[in-house]
Amino acid sequence: MRLSHFLVVIALVADTSLAQVFGKGKCPTVTVQKSFDLQKYLGDWYEIFRFYAGFEDNTKCTVANYQLKDNGHIRVDNKGISLKDESKVIEAVGDGYSPDEAEPAKLQVKFAEGIPYGDYWILDTDYTNYTLIYSCKDVLGLTHVEFCWILSRERTLASETKDRLYQKLSDFGVKTENFLTTDQKDCK
């Protein structure tokens, strides 16, 4: 393997090293919500289920807040309580935007300067109870790295809603056994 190919492989692996949900082959084909209204989506969303991601390790009571910025972008403010020190709040503030008006549910988000934006696709939301978010990145066509979240406007979610969203993901070929439950109890 040439050095340049090796460096590309290392860069791709490093880029995905904080994500731990890998799958064989390319990303599953998913569809986003057809009509998406960002104004209705703004506000607080509580994380109920998520795929493992190192940047969310050791947290509970995770909440995301989305606010429209003057430049049309979205301020993404994720907060969670540290499981190691419950007096400590872990926060990540990012920037999001919709690059294509024809597909407004295909957002791009990043949480640090100098890194590229990543997919943040809304597959399904009713704006008042739940939202289903998915992101996937192909790695050389041999494997892929997935992120997935189910959020709610409340700290709980009806089991019927969970079952319906799990079925939707299963129909796309996304493995729902990768979900972890976020602890939303005893949140201050």
Side-chain angles (χ1 to χ4, degrees):
M1 182 185 299
R2 292 188 358 213
L3 180 59
S4 62
H5 288 120
F6 179 73
L7 293 175
V8 168
V9 170
I10 294 300
L12 287 170
V13 171
D15 182 47
T16 61
S17 63
L18 291 178
Q20 304 275 310
V21 178
F22 291 88
K24 292 180 183 176
K26 294 185 177 190
C27 292
T29 300
V30 300
T31 56
V32 297
Q33 183 154 316
K34 295 272 184 249
S35 59
F36 177 71
D37 184 338
L38 178 60
Q39 288 297 327
K40 291 180 181 178
Y41 195 77
L42 299 174
D44 287 338
W45 289 96
Y46 298 97
E47 181 182 270
I48 307 300
F49 302 105
R50 67 177 171 88
F51 281 14
Y52 177 80
F55 54 83
E56 284 192 83
D57 209 11
N58 297 313
T59 60
K60 71 176 212 166
C61 302
T62 305
V63 60
N65 177 271
Y66 304 97
Q67 296 299 319
L68 196 58
K69 295 168 36 175
D70 290 339
N71 66 359
H73 280 222
I74 305 155
R75 182 180 191 270
V76 182
D77 187 359
N78 293 333
K79 293 180 185 175
I81 296 172
S82 170
L83 290 174
K84 295 178 182 179
D85 177 359
E86 291 196 12
S87 68
K88 183 178 177 185
V89 173
I90 298 170
E91 182 175 25
V93 177
D95 179 73
Y97 74 105
S98 178
D100 185 353
E101 289 181 17
E103 293 186 294
K106 286 187 174 182
L107 301 174
Q108 296 286 297
V109 176
K110 72 175 184 174
F111 285 92
E113 290 298 320
I115 64 167
Y117 284 87
D119 293 342
Y120 184 94
W121 292 1
I122 290 87
L123 304 186
D124 193 359
T125 186
D126 71 350
Y127 306 103
T128 58
N129 295 299
Y130 70 87
T131 187
L132 174 60
I133 303 141
Y134 183 74
S135 179
C136 189
K137 183 172 184 173
D138 286 324
V139 181
L140 301 175
L142 303 172
T143 187
H144 62 272
V145 181
E146 293 175 296
F147 296 96
C148 196
W149 297 269
I150 295 176
L151 310 179
S152 174
R153 290 290 191 185
E154 303 293 328
R155 291 192 187 274
T156 60
L157 184 70
S159 61
E160 305 83 44
T161 303
K162 172 203 163 218
D163 293 343
R164 189 177 62 74
L165 296 175
Y166 271 44
Q167 185 60 55
K168 177 174 249 183
L169 288 168
S170 293
D171 291 347
F172 290 139
V174 177
K175 295 180 179 173
T176 58
E177 60 267 20
N178 289 322
F179 272 118
L180 303 171
T181 303
T182 300
D183 183 357
Q184 289 287 354
K185 296 182 187 102
D186 301 320
C187 301
K188 299 174 186 172

